[in-house]
Amino acid sequence: MASFESLYSENALNMKKSVIRELLKLTQKPDIISFAGGLPAPETFPVEDLRAAADVVFVKHATKALQYGTTEGDPDLKDELIKFEARQGVKIGQDHLLVVSASQQALDIVAKVFIDPGDYIIGGHPTYLGTIQAIQSYRGRVLGIPFSKADDGFDMDELERRYASALRDGKRIKFIYVIPDFQNPTGICWSVEKRKALLEFSYRTGLPLVEDSPYREIRFLGKTLPSIFQLDQEGENRGNVLNFKTFSKILAPGTRMGWVMANPDIISKFVVAKQAMDLCTNVFAQKWIAEYLKTGKIYSVIEHTCGIYRDKRNYMTELLEQHMPKRPDISWTKPEGGLFLWIRLPEGIDTDKMLLKAIERKVAYVGGSSFYFDEPEHNTMRINFSYSSLEQIEEGVKRLARVVAEELEGR
Ligand SMILES: Cc1ncc(COP(=O)(O)O)c(C=O)c1O
């Protein structure tokens, strides 16, 4: 077979395969209980109502839905998005909005627009793997900031220290990237104080602040906190924040539909970058989601989804409490939303190596090292609670706890 390896661009050579996607293939055997992926529960998809909305598109707007659309996005869908956001207190106009092929595309666009080879972004240590991949594909790097002991956002002293040291070393930093609501992979939710402090840091440094919010509406415990985008809007309104949203976790990821909210200048730049990628987001799908949103049923779907995830998360943490070895250096986050929790094991345990044993025991997770741009912490793991049934959660946690206990005994 012909090999074009020697012709690949520097950018392509710098792209890394997603360990998670490779692993998912391994863990898809039916007898393995997988906490590795990040899939929503299929029982939350409102199949019949989505089918009815697709029928409306064919009956009412078939030719428009089958035609090219504008890069900015379908105005009908944008109207519905404006109403959806207004219910959460976010006031935006059409020119503050760009419809994208889900938030992963927004991540690629923001990297494309800001990153030259060697540039840095400021991000979590750990952070979302798909963002690391997007940054790497433009040969960018991540200046990783650890989270505070209270799990309420970055360690802000470390942020100041690492930022100052990066500037002294001549590093070019282009933007800040955070997932304040139930971060992937840790489940951490930022406090209002830390959100405000990061916004102030963005104002002071002049760096754009990318707020990635796929899990924002998936809050099943506690009170919703203002997004950083909102804090800017309601405060100095300087337009520093770019907020990425998606239907992947609140409706269905197969829709591949998301939206960016930002100041109109940034939106225009993003539009040009997106044009070269796909001209416009799938027009049929935009009309389809617009028709679905008009029914107003999404709010009860979100409520129902949150209820299911609350039960699964509570069950998983109860079982971890019961079955995991009891030691002060074994802990896990107790997220109030999202899809994941993050387990810390004693120093010296390598969860990547342990995964092979876990797979033998027919349970899977993602080793935490995948979520660090550099200097990974090997004694961590991400486990997903949204996808498995309660029965699978029970059996899977028992198997996982046994693997951890054996690993500790074997040391
Ligand atoms: C933090 C974060 N951002 C973005 C995405 C991409 O989501 P999508 O492209 O489906 O909207 C994910 C997916 O899991 C995620 O966890």
Side-chain angles (χ1 to χ4, degrees), residues 268-282:
S268 308
K269 196 72 195 164
F270 271 38
V271 165
V272 181
K274 180 176 158 70
Q275 262 160 14
M277 294 178 181
D278 62 359
L279 302 181
C280 61
T281 302
N282 181 324

Side-chain angles (χ1 to χ4, degrees), residues 21 38-39 100-107 127-131 177-179 181-185 212-215 244-249 252-259 339-340 382:
R21 294 210 180 282
L39 305 185
V100 283
S101 305
S103 41
Q104 192 60 43
Q105 184 178 52
L107 291 167
T127 192
Y128 170 53
L129 174 65
T131 301
Y177 170 77
V178 284
I179 311 153
D181 292 293
F182 323 118
Q183 195 225 24
N184 180 0
D212 190 10
S213 306
Y215 308 105
F244 297 173
K245 304 286 294 278
T246 175
F247 285 110
S248 288
K249 306 303 189 306
T255 59
R256 306 312 299 137
M257 185 77 62
W259 63 106
L339 271 57
F340 307 106
R382 186 192 79 176

Side-chain angles (χ1 to χ4, degrees), residues 308 311-312 315 319 388-395:
I308 292 176
D311 292 348
K312 291 187 176 186
Y315 199 43
L319 288 157
S388 306
S389 64
L390 292 174
E391 294 71 28
Q392 287 169 324
I393 289 177
E394 176 162 355
E395 182 53 31

Side-chain angles (χ1 to χ4, degrees), residues 122-136:
I122 290 175
H125 185 77
T127 192
Y128 170 53
L129 174 65
T131 301
I132 299 178
Q133 282 186 303
I135 298 297
Q136 278 174 328

Side-chain angles (χ1 to χ4, degrees), residues 34-260:
S34 179
F35 299 143
L39 305 185
E43 65 265 29
T44 64
F45 302 155
V47 177
E48 278 311 307
D49 290 332
L50 284 170
R51 190 185 56 78
D55 286 346
V56 174
V57 178
F58 275 119
V59 172
K60 282 199 186 164
H61 324 283
T63 53
K64 276 197 179 139
L66 297 170
Q67 191 53 278
Y68 283 114
T70 60
T71 309
E72 287 82 351
D74 181 74
D76 267 1
L77 174 61
K78 287 169 92 174
D79 277 343
E80 293 304 316
L81 293 174
I82 289 167
K83 287 183 215 156
F84 181 83
E85 289 294 344
R87 267 179 78 125
Q88 307 191 40
V90 178
K91 295 172 214 77
I92 40 158
Q94 291 251 352
D95 55 353
H96 291 81
L97 259 181
L98 168 65
V99 177
V100 283
S101 305
S103 41
Q104 192 60 43
Q105 184 178 52
L107 291 167
D108 192 36
I109 295 177
V110 75
K112 185 176 187 174
V113 164
F114 284 105
I115 299 295
D116 287 315
D119 284 354
Y120 278 78
I121 68 157
I122 290 175
H125 185 77
T127 192
Y128 170 53
L129 174 65
T131 301
I132 299 178
Q133 282 186 303
I135 298 297
Q136 278 174 328
S137 64
Y138 294 93
R139 286 189 281 157
R141 306 177 65 80
V142 181
L143 186 69
I145 311 297
F147 290 87
S148 66
K149 293 231 163 14
D151 280 348
D152 65 346
F154 283 167
D155 177 332
M156 299 308 278
D157 293 336
E158 271 305 311
L159 170 65
E160 297 293 348
R161 243 192 316 276
R162 290 185 190 208
Y163 177 68
S165 151
L167 290 190
R168 275 197 304 278
D169 295 345
K171 290 178 175 147
R172 287 187 314 264
I173 299 178
K174 291 299 185 66
F175 61 86
I176 310 158
Y177 170 77
V178 284
I179 311 153
D181 292 293
F182 323 118
Q183 195 225 24
N184 180 0
T186 60
I188 286 176
C189 182
W190 287 52
S191 65
V192 179
E193 293 69 36
K194 287 268 166 95
R195 290 171 196 236
K196 286 183 179 162
L198 194 70
L199 182 60
E200 191 276 326
F201 179 85
S202 155
Y203 289 160
R204 175 158 43 89
T205 57
L207 291 174
L209 200 168
V210 176
E211 179 179 35
D212 190 10
S213 306
Y215 308 105
R216 179 160 173 75
E217 287 82 8
I218 305 296
R219 174 181 275 283
F220 41 73
L221 289 169
K223 259 179 56 189
T224 299
L225 304 177
S227 66
I228 308 181
F229 185 80
Q230 256 170 313
L231 289 171
D232 176 46
Q233 267 204 331
E234 290 160 13
E236 296 186 27
N237 202 11
R238 295 203 207 172
N240 279 39
V241 188
L242 289 69
N243 197 188
F244 297 173
K245 304 286 294 278
T246 175
F247 285 110
S248 288
K249 306 303 189 306
I250 57 175
L251 186 59
T255 59
R256 306 312 299 137
M257 185 77 62
W259 63 106
V260 172

